[in-house]
Amino acid sequence: MNNSMIQSATSLYNLQKRLDIIANNIANLNTVGYKRKDATFQDLLSSYKTQHEDKLLPGRLTPPGLMLNWGSAVSAQLIDMSQGALQETGRDLDVALEGNAMFELNVIRLDENGEPVLDEDGNAVIDRMWTRHGSFQLTFVPGDEENAYLATEDGILLTDEFGFHIAVPKGQSIVIDRSGMVAAVDEATNSYTEIGMLRMVELINPQLLREIGNNRYALAEGVDPASAVRLLEDPGMVAAAGVAVHQGFLEQSNVNLAAEMTELLAVQRAYHLSARALQSADMMKDLANRLRG
């Protein structure tokens, strides 16, 4: 296989990855809280091919030798954490974040049999996950008929800043302020009772997170949590981080369809050129084989 075929094949493989990322962004154009992905490329190892001394003729201005490049590859997939537009829904359980933060979900890890995984001390192992998807619901827990619990759409119970589930007394509504503090409202007595603050984290380095599906993120393998996120433990920390919570709103995807389509056309043109280069190299190989025969 000659150099041009290797370069073309490498380019095709990595351009296909870029096309997949763009397609995923476009597919999530209407996904609540979705953050678009981008790819960075880096040059692969180059090699220098020396030429025979006979090539060094009198009057030659360029140095002898050929620099051979082996194409480029996707070096990283980046998360674009820019703010998405806030859309008003008027629903009390819809919550949008403004600023560099995410909601934290604490999920009990289960084994292949659906049983909780225990650590050395016999406690259930908790996996930390994060999301910007703030469409919540109230759900009931077996054995507790007096309270409903704030949860995600698929039933994961939300926790407050101390790690406790947020319980709403039955028949009461909730109010969430800009710091994420949740209060239960008894309309009969017009009284407010604080029942916890939404558990949120400030993003220190979002590129250390990995997408795990359902518009959620977890830590990449071997990453120290302190280098990626910082828990916002009280309203003062929320305000200092420039984060605001908006009840009755949902954050829309930050995907710009026009920009993605423009990038799609550029990548498709590059893909077509690489495919043509591969085809031309193959035709030259075939021609050389025929001449030798």
Side-chain angles (χ1 to χ4, degrees):
M1 184 180 290
N2 60 28
N3 297 333
S4 60
M5 295 184 73
I6 295 175
Q7 294 174 17
S8 300
T10 302
S11 298
L12 286 172
Y13 175 74
N14 288 282
L15 287 170
Q16 182 62 56
K17 285 186 177 181
R18 183 71 183 97
L19 284 172
D20 292 341
I21 293 173
I22 295 173
N24 186 60
N25 287 338
I26 295 176
N28 286 281
L29 180 64
N30 297 315
T31 300
V32 173
Y34 176 80
K35 297 304 178 184
R36 67 177 296 273
K37 309 301 184 297
D38 200 0
T40 59
F41 287 81
Q42 66 177 9
D43 290 334
L44 295 177
L45 183 65
S46 299
S47 60
Y48 184 80
K49 183 176 182 179
T50 59
Q51 292 181 323
H52 195 271
E53 293 180 358
D54 293 343
K55 300 291 184 180
L56 190 60
L57 300 176
R60 176 170 180 167
L61 299 179
T62 57
L66 295 174
M67 181 62 70
L68 302 177
N69 295 312
W70 302 100
S72 60
V74 174
S75 59
Q77 180 174 299
L78 305 179
I79 306 171
D80 178 7
M81 291 302 301
S82 59
Q83 181 73 41
L86 301 186
Q87 181 177 11
E88 185 173 6
T89 64
R91 180 172 176 268
D92 290 343
L93 297 177
D94 285 342
V95 184
L97 281 176
E98 181 182 3
N100 185 36
M102 280 188 170
F103 299 112
E104 179 169 300
L105 307 176
N106 289 332
V107 183
I108 297 177
R109 187 184 301 175
L110 303 178
D111 59 19
E112 61 275 6
N113 299 319
E115 298 295 329
V117 177
L118 304 180
D119 59 18
E120 296 177 353
D121 299 324
N123 300 317
V125 176
I126 303 296
D127 289 327
R128 300 175 67 185
M129 303 177 185
W130 300 277
T131 185
R132 296 276 290 198
H133 192 124
S135 183
F136 301 137
Q137 65 173 354
L138 291 176
T139 188
F140 291 95
V141 174
D144 187 352
E145 299 180 356
E146 301 298 323
N147 299 291
Y149 289 84
L150 201 58
T152 62
E153 289 181 328
D154 54 352
I156 297 176
L157 298 181
L158 299 179
T159 54
D160 62 14
E161 70 274 29
F162 303 112
F164 299 109
H165 295 148
I166 301 176
V168 182
K170 192 174 181 179
Q172 298 188 17
S173 58
I174 64 170
V175 173
I176 304 174
D177 65 15
R178 289 176 63 88
S179 68
M181 186 62 69
V182 184
V185 181
D186 187 344
E187 309 220 349
T189 60
N190 198 26
S191 61
Y192 291 72
T193 305
E194 290 186 353
I195 55 177
M197 190 179 85
L198 293 175
R199 192 175 181 88
M200 296 175 290
V201 295
E202 180 185 12
L203 298 176
I204 299 174
N205 187 353
Q207 308 310 328
L208 296 178
L209 304 180
R210 59 182 178 89
E211 194 170 15
I212 57 174
N214 293 328
N215 206 11
R216 293 171 186 162
Y217 300 86
L219 284 176
E221 196 70 28
V223 173
D224 179 11
S227 62
V229 298
R230 180 172 71 103
L231 182 63
L232 300 176
E233 299 177 347
D234 55 61
M237 293 182 67
V238 174
V243 176
V245 179
H246 299 273
Q247 185 180 18
F249 289 81
L250 286 177
E251 182 188 13
Q252 302 305 297
S253 166
N254 67 349
V255 174
N256 184 317
L257 182 59
E260 295 297 327
M261 290 302 295
T262 302
E263 181 69 17
L264 178 63
L265 291 174
V267 175
Q268 283 182 326
R269 282 197 292 267
Y271 191 95
H272 178 69
L273 288 173
S274 295
R276 290 291 299 272
L278 184 60
Q279 184 181 21
S280 298
D282 182 63
M283 292 175 62
M284 293 175 65
K285 278 277 192 180
D286 181 65
L287 181 60
N289 288 335
R290 289 176 184 272
L291 289 175
R292 291 176 59 187

